Amino acid sequence: MFRVIEGGLSARPSAAAGPADDAAPSLEDVLREAERRIEATGYESWRNRETLTGIPVPREIRYLAMQIGYVAEAIGRLTDIPADFRSDHYWPA
């Protein structure tokens, strides 16, 4: 789903469930969390509206989606992804 972010994430997370309790988080887990957060903003609806009407996505929504994509890329590049990567501490609000 990360096609919505200009210059952002290019990978598409798999549909598999999250990591096992004892497994280290993977890049796919981070991308899945980013996708969940972007979906929660309603970004796809705004993009559809923009495509159909030409009315741009509100700046705040567009920037939030870009920030979420940036955080996902940054966390995904870490050698050891923190087990609590889903915490709001890491993500923009």
Coordinates of all heavy atoms in Angstrom, one line a residue:
M1 N 0.8 -1.2 0.0 CA 0.0 0.0 0.0 C 0.8 1.2 0.0 O 0.3 2.3 -0.2 CB -0.9 0.0 1.2 CG -1.2 1.3 1.7 SD -2.8 2.1 1.7 CE -4.0 1.0 1.3
F2 N 2.1 1.2 0.2 CA 2.9 2.4 0.4 C 3.1 3.2 -0.9 O 3.9 4.1 -0.9 CB 4.3 2.0 1.0 CG 4.1 1.5 2.4 CD1 4.1 0.2 2.7 CD2 3.8 2.4 3.4 CE1 3.9 -0.2 3.9 CE2 3.6 2.0 4.7 CZ 3.6 0.6 4.9
R3 N 2.4 2.9 -1.9 CA 2.4 3.7 -3.2 C 1.9 5.1 -3.0 O 2.2 5.9 -3.8 CB 1.6 3.0 -4.2 CG 0.2 2.8 -3.9 CD -0.5 2.0 -4.9 NE -1.8 1.5 -4.7 CZ -2.7 1.7 -3.7 NH1 -2.4 2.5 -2.7 NH2 -3.9 1.1 -3.6
V4 N 1.2 5.4 -1.9 CA 0.6 6.7 -1.7 C 1.6 7.7 -1.2 O 1.3 8.9 -1.3 CB -0.5 6.6 -0.6 CG1 -1.6 5.7 -1.1 CG2 0.0 6.1 0.7
I5 N 2.8 7.4 -0.8 CA 3.7 8.3 -0.3 C 4.8 8.6 -1.4 O 5.5 7.8 -1.8 CB 4.5 7.7 1.0 CG1 3.4 7.4 2.0 CG2 5.5 8.7 1.5 CD1 4.0 6.7 3.2
E6 N 4.8 9.9 -1.8 CA 5.7 10.3 -2.8 C 7.1 10.2 -2.3 O 7.5 10.7 -1.2 CB 5.5 11.8 -3.1 CG 4.2 12.1 -3.7 CD 3.1 12.4 -2.6 OE1 3.4 12.5 -1.5 OE2 1.9 12.5 -3.0
G7 N 8.0 9.4 -3.0 CA 9.3 9.2 -2.6 C 9.5 8.4 -1.3 O 10.5 8.4 -0.7
G8 N 8.4 7.7 -0.9 CA 8.4 7.0 0.4 C 8.7 5.6 0.2 O 9.5 5.1 -0.6
L9 N 8.0 4.8 1.0 CA 8.2 3.3 1.0 C 7.8 2.7 -0.3 O 6.8 3.0 -0.9 CB 7.4 2.7 2.1 CG 7.6 3.3 3.5 CD1 6.6 2.7 4.5 CD2 9.0 3.0 3.9
S10 N 8.6 1.7 -0.7 CA 8.3 1.1 -2.0 C 7.9 -0.4 -1.7 O 7.3 -1.0 -2.6 CB 9.5 1.1 -2.9 OG 10.6 0.5 -2.3
A11 N 8.2 -0.9 -0.6 CA 7.9 -2.3 -0.3 C 6.4 -2.4 0.1 O 5.8 -1.5 0.7 CB 8.8 -2.8 0.8
R12 N 5.8 -3.5 -0.1 CA 4.4 -3.8 0.3 C 4.5 -4.9 1.3 O 5.0 -6.0 1.1 CB 3.6 -4.2 -0.9 CG 2.1 -4.5 -0.4 CD 1.3 -4.7 -1.7 NE -0.1 -5.1 -1.3 CZ -1.0 -4.2 -1.0 NH1 -0.8 -2.9 -1.1 NH2 -2.2 -4.6 -0.6
P13 N 4.0 -4.6 2.5 CA 4.1 -5.7 3.6 C 3.2 -6.8 3.2 O 2.2 -6.7 2.6 CB 3.6 -4.9 4.8 CG 2.8 -3.8 4.3 CD 3.4 -3.4 3.0
S14 N 3.6 -8.0 3.7 CA 2.9 -9.2 3.4 C 1.6 -9.2 4.3 O 1.5 -8.5 5.3 CB 3.7 -10.5 3.7 OG 4.0 -10.5 5.1
A15 N 0.7 -10.1 3.9 CA -0.6 -10.1 4.7 C -0.5 -11.0 5.9 O -1.4 -11.2 6.6 CB -1.7 -10.7 3.8
A16 N 0.7 -11.6 6.2 CA 0.9 -12.5 7.3 C 0.7 -11.7 8.6 O 0.8 -10.5 8.7 CB 2.3 -13.1 7.3
A17 N 0.4 -12.5 9.7 CA 0.3 -11.9 11.0 C 1.6 -11.4 11.5 O 2.6 -11.6 10.9 CB -0.3 -13.0 11.9
G18 N 1.5 -10.7 12.6 CA 2.7 -10.1 13.3 C 3.7 -11.1 13.7 O 3.5 -12.3 13.6
P19 N 4.8 -10.7 14.3 CA 5.8 -11.6 14.7 C 5.4 -12.4 15.9 O 4.6 -12.0 16.7 CB 7.0 -10.7 15.1 CG 6.3 -9.4 15.5 CD 5.1 -9.3 14.6
A20 N 6.0 -13.6 16.0 CA 5.7 -14.5 17.1 C 6.3 -13.8 18.3 O 7.2 -12.9 18.2 CB 6.4 -15.8 16.9
D21 N 5.8 -14.2 19.5 CA 6.2 -13.5 20.7 C 7.8 -13.5 20.9 O 8.3 -12.6 21.5 CB 5.6 -14.1 21.9 CG 4.1 -13.8 21.9 OD1 3.7 -12.8 21.3 OD2 3.3 -14.6 22.5
D22 N 8.4 -14.6 20.5 CA 9.8 -14.7 20.8 C 10.7 -14.3 19.5 O 11.9 -14.3 19.6 CB 10.2 -16.2 21.2 CG 9.8 -17.2 20.2 OD1 9.0 -16.9 19.3 OD2 10.2 -18.3 20.3
A23 N 10.0 -14.0 18.4 CA 10.7 -13.7 17.2 C 11.0 -12.2 17.2 O 10.3 -11.4 17.7 CB 9.9 -14.0 16.0
A24 N 12.2 -11.8 16.6 CA 12.6 -10.4 16.5 C 11.7 -9.8 15.4 O 11.4 -10.4 14.4 CB 14.0 -10.3 16.1
P25 N 11.3 -8.5 15.6 CA 10.5 -7.9 14.5 C 11.2 -7.8 13.2 O 12.5 -7.6 13.2 CB 10.2 -6.5 15.1 CG 10.6 -6.5 16.5 CD 11.5 -7.7 16.7
S26 N 10.5 -7.8 12.1 CA 11.2 -7.7 10.8 C 10.7 -6.4 10.1 O 9.8 -5.7 10.6 CB 10.8 -8.9 9.9 OG 9.4 -8.8 9.7
L27 N 11.3 -6.1 9.0 CA 11.0 -5.0 8.2 C 9.5 -5.0 7.8 O 8.8 -4.0 7.8 CB 11.9 -4.9 7.0 CG 11.5 -3.8 6.0 CD1 11.5 -2.4 6.6 CD2 12.4 -3.8 4.8
E28 N 9.0 -6.2 7.5 CA 7.6 -6.4 7.1 C 6.7 -6.0 8.2 O 5.6 -5.4 8.0 CB 7.4 -7.8 6.6 CG 8.0 -8.2 5.3 CD 9.5 -8.5 5.4 OE1 10.0 -8.9 6.5 OE2 10.2 -8.3 4.4
D29 N 7.1 -6.3 9.5 CA 6.3 -5.9 10.6 C 6.2 -4.4 10.7 O 5.1 -3.9 11.0 CB 6.8 -6.6 11.9 CG 6.8 -8.1 11.9 OD1 5.9 -8.7 11.3 OD2 7.8 -8.6 12.4
V30 N 7.3 -3.8 10.5 CA 7.4 -2.3 10.6 C 6.5 -1.7 9.5 O 5.7 -0.8 9.7 CB 8.8 -1.8 10.5 CG1 8.9 -0.3 10.5 CG2 9.6 -2.3 11.7
L31 N 6.6 -2.2 8.3 CA 5.8 -1.7 7.2 C 4.3 -1.9 7.4 O 3.5 -1.1 7.0 CB 6.3 -2.4 5.9 CG 7.7 -2.0 5.4 CD1 8.0 -2.8 4.1 CD2 7.9 -0.6 5.2
R32 N 4.0 -3.1 8.0 CA 2.6 -3.3 8.3 C 2.1 -2.3 9.3 O 0.9 -1.8 9.2 CB 2.5 -4.8 8.8 CG 1.1 -5.3 8.7 CD 1.0 -6.8 9.1 NE 1.9 -7.7 8.3 CZ 3.0 -8.3 8.8 NH1 3.3 -8.1 10.0 NH2 3.7 -9.0 8.0
E33 N 2.8 -2.0 10.3 CA 2.4 -1.0 11.3 C 2.3 0.4 10.7 O 1.3 1.1 10.9 CB 3.4 -0.9 12.4 CG 3.2 0.1 13.5 CD 1.9 -0.1 14.3 OE1 1.3 -1.2 14.2 OE2 1.5 0.8 15.0
A34 N 3.2 0.7 9.8 CA 3.1 2.0 9.1 C 1.8 2.1 8.2 O 1.1 3.1 8.2 CB 4.3 2.2 8.2
E35 N 1.6 1.0 7.5 CA 0.4 0.9 6.7 C -0.9 1.1 7.6 O -1.8 1.8 7.2 CB 0.3 -0.4 5.9 CG -0.9 -0.5 5.1 CD -0.9 -1.8 4.2 OE1 0.0 -2.5 4.3 OE2 -1.9 -2.0 3.5
R36 N -0.9 0.4 8.7 CA -2.1 0.6 9.6 C -2.2 2.0 10.1 O -3.4 2.5 10.1 CB -1.8 -0.3 10.9 CG -3.0 -0.3 11.8 CD -2.7 -1.0 13.1 NE -1.7 -0.2 13.9 CZ -2.1 0.8 14.7 NH1 -3.3 1.3 14.7 NH2 -1.1 1.5 15.4
R37 N -1.2 2.7 10.4 CA -1.2 4.1 10.8 C -1.7 5.0 9.7 O -2.4 5.9 9.9 CB 0.1 4.5 11.4 CG 0.3 3.9 12.8 CD 1.7 4.2 13.3 NE 1.9 3.6 14.6 CZ 1.6 4.2 15.8 NH1 1.1 5.4 15.8 NH2 1.8 3.5 16.9
I38 N -1.2 4.8 8.5 CA -1.6 5.6 7.4 C -3.1 5.4 7.1 O -3.8 6.3 6.8 CB -0.7 5.3 6.1 CG1 0.7 5.8 6.4 CG2 -1.3 5.9 4.9 CD1 1.7 5.5 5.3
E39 N -3.5 4.1 7.1 CA -4.9 3.8 6.9 C -5.8 4.5 7.9 O -6.9 5.0 7.6 CB -5.2 2.3 6.9 CG -4.7 1.6 5.6 CD -4.9 0.1 5.7 OE1 -5.5 -0.4 6.7 OE2 -4.5 -0.5 4.8
A40 N -5.3 4.6 9.2 CA -6.1 5.3 10.2 C -6.3 6.8 10.0 O -7.2 7.4 10.5 CB -5.4 5.0 11.6
T41 N -5.4 7.4 9.2 CA -5.6 8.8 8.8 C -6.6 9.0 7.8 O -7.0 10.2 7.6 CB -4.3 9.4 8.3 OG1 -3.9 8.8 7.1 CG2 -3.1 9.2 9.3
G42 N -7.1 8.0 7.1 CA -8.0 8.1 6.0 C -7.4 8.6 4.7 O -8.0 9.1 3.8
Y43 N -6.1 8.4 4.6 CA -5.3 8.9 3.5 C -5.8 8.4 2.2 O -5.9 9.2 1.2 CB -3.8 8.6 3.7 CG -2.9 9.2 2.6 CD1 -2.5 10.5 2.7 CD2 -2.6 8.5 1.5 CE1 -1.7 11.1 1.8 CE2 -1.8 9.1 0.5 CZ -1.3 10.4 0.7 OH -0.6 10.9 -0.3
E44 N -6.1 7.2 2.1 CA -6.6 6.6 0.8 C -7.8 7.3 0.3 O -8.0 7.6 -0.9 CB -6.8 5.1 0.9 CG -7.0 4.5 -0.4 CD -6.9 3.0 -0.4 OE1 -6.3 2.4 0.6 OE2 -7.4 2.3 -1.3
S45 N -8.8 7.6 1.2 CA -10.0 8.3 0.8 C -9.6 9.7 0.3 O -10.2 10.1 -0.7 CB -10.9 8.4 2.0 OG -11.4 7.2 2.4
W46 N -8.7 10.4 0.9 CA -8.3 11.7 0.5 C -7.7 11.6 -0.9 O -7.9 12.5 -1.7 CB -7.4 12.3 1.5 CG -8.0 12.8 2.8 CD1 -7.9 12.2 4.0 CD2 -8.9 13.9 3.0 NE1 -8.6 12.8 4.9 CE2 -9.2 13.9 4.3 CE3 -9.4 14.9 2.1 CZ2 -10.1 14.9 4.9 CZ3 -10.2 15.9 2.7 CH2 -10.6 15.8 4.0
R47 N -6.8 10.6 -1.1 CA -6.1 10.4 -2.4 C -7.2 10.1 -3.5 O -7.1 10.6 -4.6 CB -5.1 9.3 -2.3 CG -3.8 9.7 -1.8 CD -3.0 10.6 -2.7 NE -2.6 9.9 -3.9 CZ -2.5 10.5 -5.1 NH1 -2.7 11.8 -5.2 NH2 -2.2 9.9 -6.2
N48 N -8.2 9.3 -3.2 CA -9.2 9.0 -4.1 C -10.0 10.3 -4.5 O -10.2 10.5 -5.7 CB -10.2 8.0 -3.6 CG -9.5 6.6 -3.5 OD1 -8.5 6.3 -4.2 ND2 -10.1 5.7 -2.7
R49 N -10.3 11.1 -3.5 CA -11.0 12.3 -3.7 C -10.1 13.2 -4.6 O -10.6 13.9 -5.6 CB -11.3 13.1 -2.4 CG -12.1 14.3 -2.6 CD -12.2 15.2 -1.4 NE -10.9 15.9 -1.2 CZ -10.7 17.0 -0.5 NH1 -11.8 17.4 0.2 NH2 -9.6 17.5 -0.4
E50 N -8.8 13.3 -4.4 CA -7.9 14.1 -5.2 C -7.9 13.6 -6.6 O -7.9 14.4 -7.6 CB -6.5 14.1 -4.6 CG -5.5 15.0 -5.4 CD -4.1 15.0 -4.8 OE1 -3.7 13.9 -4.3 OE2 -3.5 16.0 -4.8
T51 N -7.8 12.3 -6.8 CA -7.8 11.8 -8.1 C -9.1 12.1 -8.9 O -9.0 12.4 -10.1 CB -7.6 10.2 -8.1 OG1 -6.4 10.0 -7.4 CG2 -7.5 9.6 -9.4
L52 N -10.2 12.0 -8.2 CA -11.5 12.2 -8.9 C -11.8 13.7 -9.1 O -12.4 14.0 -10.1 CB -12.6 11.5 -8.1 CG -12.5 10.0 -8.0 CD1 -13.6 9.5 -7.1 CD2 -12.7 9.4 -9.4
T53 N -11.5 14.5 -8.2 CA -12.0 15.9 -8.2 C -10.8 16.9 -8.5 O -11.1 18.0 -8.8 CB -12.7 16.3 -6.9 OG1 -11.7 16.3 -5.8 CG2 -13.8 15.4 -6.6
G54 N -9.6 16.5 -8.2 CA -8.5 17.4 -8.4 C -8.3 18.3 -7.1 O -7.3 19.1 -7.1
I55 N -9.1 18.1 -6.1 CA -8.9 18.9 -4.9 C -7.8 18.2 -4.1 O -7.9 17.0 -3.8 CB -10.2 18.9 -4.0 CG1 -11.3 19.5 -4.8 CG2 -10.0 19.6 -2.7 CD1 -12.7 19.4 -4.1
P56 N -6.7 18.9 -3.8 CA -5.6 18.2 -3.2 C -5.9 17.6 -1.8 O -6.7 18.1 -1.0 CB -4.5 19.3 -3.1 CG -5.2 20.6 -3.4 CD -6.5 20.3 -4.0
V57 N -5.1 16.6 -1.4 CA -5.1 16.1 -0.1 C -4.7 17.2 0.9 O -3.7 17.9 0.6 CB -4.1 14.9 0.0 CG1 -4.0 14.4 1.5 CG2 -4.5 13.8 -0.9
P58 N -5.4 17.3 2.0 CA -5.0 18.4 3.0 C -3.5 18.2 3.3 O -3.0 17.1 3.5 CB -5.9 18.1 4.2 CG -7.1 17.5 3.6 CD -6.6 16.6 2.4
R59 N -2.8 19.3 3.4 CA -1.4 19.3 3.7 C -1.1 18.5 5.0 O -0.1 17.8 5.0 CB -0.9 20.7 3.9 CG 0.6 20.9 4.1 CD 1.0 22.3 4.2 NE 0.3 23.1 3.3 CZ 0.2 24.4 3.5 NH1 0.7 25.0 4.5 NH2 -0.5 25.2 2.6
E60 N -1.9 18.7 6.0 CA -1.6 18.0 7.3 C -1.7 16.5 7.1 O -0.8 15.7 7.7 CB -2.6 18.4 8.4 CG -2.5 19.9 8.7 CD -3.3 20.8 7.7 OE1 -4.1 20.3 6.9 OE2 -3.1 22.0 7.8
I61 N -2.6 16.0 6.4 CA -2.8 14.5 6.1 C -1.6 14.0 5.3 O -1.0 13.0 5.5 CB -4.1 14.2 5.4 CG1 -5.3 14.7 6.3 CG2 -4.2 12.7 5.1 CD1 -5.4 13.9 7.6
R62 N -1.3 14.8 4.2 CA -0.2 14.4 3.3 C 1.2 14.3 4.1 O 1.9 13.4 4.0 CB -0.1 15.4 2.2 CG 0.9 14.9 1.1 CD 1.0 15.8 -0.1 NE 1.3 17.2 0.3 CZ 0.6 18.3 0.0 NH1 -0.5 18.2 -0.6 NH2 1.0 19.5 0.4
Y63 N 1.4 15.4 4.9 CA 2.7 15.4 5.7 C 2.7 14.3 6.7 O 3.8 13.7 6.9 CB 2.9 16.8 6.3 CG 3.3 17.9 5.4 CD1 3.3 19.2 5.8 CD2 3.6 17.6 4.1 CE1 3.6 20.2 4.9 CE2 3.9 18.6 3.2 CZ 3.9 19.9 3.6 OH 4.3 20.9 2.7
L64 N 1.6 14.0 7.4 CA 1.6 13.0 8.4 C 1.9 11.6 7.7 O 2.7 10.8 8.2 CB 0.2 12.9 9.1 CG 0.1 11.8 10.1 CD1 1.1 12.0 11.2 CD2 -1.3 11.9 10.7
A65 N 1.3 11.3 6.5 CA 1.6 10.1 5.8 C 3.1 10.0 5.4 O 3.7 9.0 5.6 CB 0.7 10.0 4.6
M66 N 3.6 11.2 5.0 CA 5.1 11.2 4.7 C 5.9 10.9 5.9 O 6.9 10.2 5.8 CB 5.4 12.5 4.0 CG 4.9 12.7 2.6 SD 5.0 14.3 1.9 CE 6.7 14.8 2.2
Q67 N 5.6 11.5 7.0 CA 6.3 11.3 8.3 C 6.2 9.9 8.7 O 7.3 9.3 9.2 CB 5.8 12.2 9.4 CG 6.1 13.7 9.1 CD 5.3 14.6 10.1 OE1 4.4 14.2 10.8 NE2 5.7 15.9 10.1
I68 N 5.1 9.3 8.6 CA 4.9 7.9 9.0 C 5.8 7.0 8.1 O 6.5 6.1 8.6 CB 3.5 7.4 8.9 CG1 2.7 8.1 10.0 CG2 3.3 5.9 9.0 CD1 1.2 7.9 9.9
G69 N 5.8 7.3 6.8 CA 6.7 6.5 5.9 C 8.2 6.7 6.2 O 8.9 5.7 6.2
Y70 N 8.6 7.9 6.6 CA 10.0 8.2 7.0 C 10.3 7.4 8.2 O 11.4 6.8 8.3 CB 10.2 9.7 7.2 CG 11.6 10.0 7.7 CD1 12.6 10.0 6.8 CD2 11.8 10.2 9.1 CE1 13.9 10.3 7.3 CE2 13.1 10.4 9.5 CZ 14.1 10.5 8.6 OH 15.4 10.8 9.1
V71 N 9.5 7.4 9.2 CA 9.8 6.6 10.4 C 9.9 5.2 10.1 O 10.8 4.5 10.7 CB 8.7 6.9 11.5 CG1 8.8 6.0 12.7 CG2 8.8 8.4 12.0
A72 N 9.0 4.6 9.3 CA 9.0 3.2 9.0 C 10.3 2.9 8.3 O 11.0 1.8 8.6 CB 7.9 2.8 8.1
E73 N 10.8 3.7 7.4 CA 12.1 3.5 6.7 C 13.2 3.5 7.7 O 14.1 2.7 7.7 CB 12.3 4.5 5.6 CG 11.4 4.3 4.4 CD 11.7 5.3 3.3 OE1 12.5 6.2 3.5 OE2 11.0 5.2 2.3
A74 N 13.2 4.5 8.6 CA 14.3 4.7 9.6 C 14.3 3.5 10.6 O 15.4 2.9 10.8 CB 14.1 6.0 10.4
I75 N 13.2 3.1 11.1 CA 13.1 1.9 12.0 C 13.6 0.6 11.2 O 14.3 -0.2 11.7 CB 11.7 1.7 12.6 CG1 11.4 2.9 13.5 CG2 11.6 0.4 13.3 CD1 10.0 2.9 14.1
G76 N 13.1 0.5 10.0 CA 13.4 -0.7 9.2 C 14.9 -0.8 8.9 O 15.4 -1.9 8.6
R77 N 15.6 0.3 8.9 CA 17.1 0.3 8.6 C 17.9 -0.1 9.8 O 19.1 -0.3 9.7 CB 17.5 1.6 8.0 CG 17.2 1.8 6.6 CD 17.9 3.0 6.0 NE 17.5 4.3 6.7 CZ 16.6 5.1 6.2 NH1 16.1 4.9 5.0 NH2 16.3 6.2 6.8
L78 N 17.3 -0.1 11.0 CA 18.1 -0.4 12.2 C 18.5 -1.8 12.2 O 17.8 -2.7 11.7 CB 17.2 -0.2 13.4 CG 16.8 1.3 13.7 CD1 15.8 1.3 14.9 CD2 18.0 2.1 14.0
T79 N 19.7 -2.1 12.7 CA 20.2 -3.5 12.8 C 19.3 -4.3 13.6 O 19.0 -5.4 13.2 CB 21.7 -3.4 13.3 OG1 22.5 -2.6 12.5 CG2 22.2 -4.8 13.3
D80 N 19.0 -3.8 14.8 CA 18.0 -4.5 15.7 C 16.8 -3.6 15.8 O 16.8 -2.6 16.5 CB 18.7 -4.7 17.1 CG 19.9 -5.6 17.0 OD1 19.8 -6.6 16.2 OD2 20.9 -5.4 17.7
I81 N 15.7 -4.1 15.2 CA 14.5 -3.3 15.4 C 13.9 -3.5 16.8 O 13.9 -4.6 17.3 CB 13.4 -3.8 14.3 CG1 14.0 -3.5 12.9 CG2 12.1 -3.2 14.5 CD1 13.1 -4.1 11.8
P82 N 13.6 -2.4 17.5 CA 13.1 -2.6 18.8 C 11.9 -3.4 18.9 O 11.0 -3.3 18.0 CB 12.9 -1.1 19.3 CG 13.3 -0.2 18.2 CD 13.6 -1.0 17.0
A83 N 11.7 -4.2 20.0 CA 10.6 -5.0 20.1 C 9.3 -4.2 20.3 O 8.2 -4.6 20.0 CB 10.7 -5.9 21.3
D84 N 9.5 -3.0 20.8 CA 8.3 -2.1 21.1 C 8.1 -1.1 19.9 O 7.6 0.0 20.2 CB 8.4 -1.4 22.4 CG 9.6 -0.4 22.4 OD1 10.5 -0.5 21.6 OD2 9.5 0.5 23.3
F85 N 8.5 -1.4 18.7 CA 8.4 -0.5 17.6 C 7.0 0.0 17.3 O 6.8 1.1 16.7 CB 9.0 -1.1 16.3 CG 8.1 -2.1 15.7 CD1 7.2 -1.8 14.7 CD2 8.3 -3.5 16.1 CE1 6.4 -2.8 14.2 CE2 7.5 -4.4 15.5 CZ 6.5 -4.1 14.6
R86 N 6.0 -0.7 17.8 CA 4.6 -0.2 17.6 C 4.2 0.9 18.6 O 3.2 1.5 18.5 CB 3.7 -1.4 17.8 CG 3.7 -2.4 16.7 CD 2.7 -3.5 16.9 NE 2.8 -4.5 15.9 CZ 3.6 -5.6 15.9 NH1 4.3 -5.8 17.0 NH2 3.7 -6.4 14.9
S87 N 5.1 1.2 19.6 CA 4.8 2.2 20.6 C 4.6 3.6 19.9 O 5.4 3.9 19.0 CB 5.9 2.3 21.6 OG 5.8 3.4 22.4
D88 N 3.7 4.4 20.4 CA 3.5 5.7 19.9 C 4.7 6.6 20.0 O 4.9 7.6 19.4 CB 2.3 6.4 20.5 CG 1.0 5.8 20.1 OD1 0.9 5.2 19.0 OD2 0.0 5.9 20.8
H89 N 5.6 6.2 20.9 CA 6.9 6.9 21.1 C 7.7 7.1 19.8 O 8.3 8.1 19.7 CB 7.7 6.2 22.2 CG 9.1 6.7 22.4 ND1 9.3 7.9 23.1 CD2 10.3 6.3 22.0 CE1 10.6 8.1 23.1 NE2 11.2 7.2 22.4
Y90 N 7.6 6.1 18.9 CA 8.4 6.2 17.7 C 7.7 6.9 16.5 O 8.3 7.3 15.6 CB 8.7 4.8 17.2 CG 9.6 4.0 18.2 CD1 9.1 3.0 19.0 CD2 11.0 4.3 18.3 CE1 9.9 2.3 19.9 CE2 11.8 3.5 19.2 CZ 11.2 2.6 20.0 OH 12.0 1.9 20.8
W91 N 6.4 7.0 16.6 CA 5.6 7.4 15.4 C 5.0 8.8 15.6 O 4.7 9.2 16.7 CB 4.5 6.4 15.2 CG 4.9 5.0 15.0 CD1 5.1 4.1 15.9 CD2 5.3 4.5 13.8 NE1 5.6 3.0 15.4 CE2 5.7 3.1 14.0 CE3 5.4 4.9 12.5 CZ2 6.2 2.3 13.0 CZ3 5.8 4.1 11.5 CH2 6.2 2.8 11.7
P92 N 4.9 9.6 14.5 CA 4.2 10.9 14.6 C 2.8 10.8 14.9 O 2.1 9.7 14.6 CB 4.5 11.5 13.3 CG 4.7 10.4 12.3 CD 5.3 9.3 13.2
A93 N 2.2 11.8 15.6 CA 0.8 11.7 15.9 C 0.0 12.7 15.0 O 0.4 13.6 14.4 CB 0.6 12.1 17.3

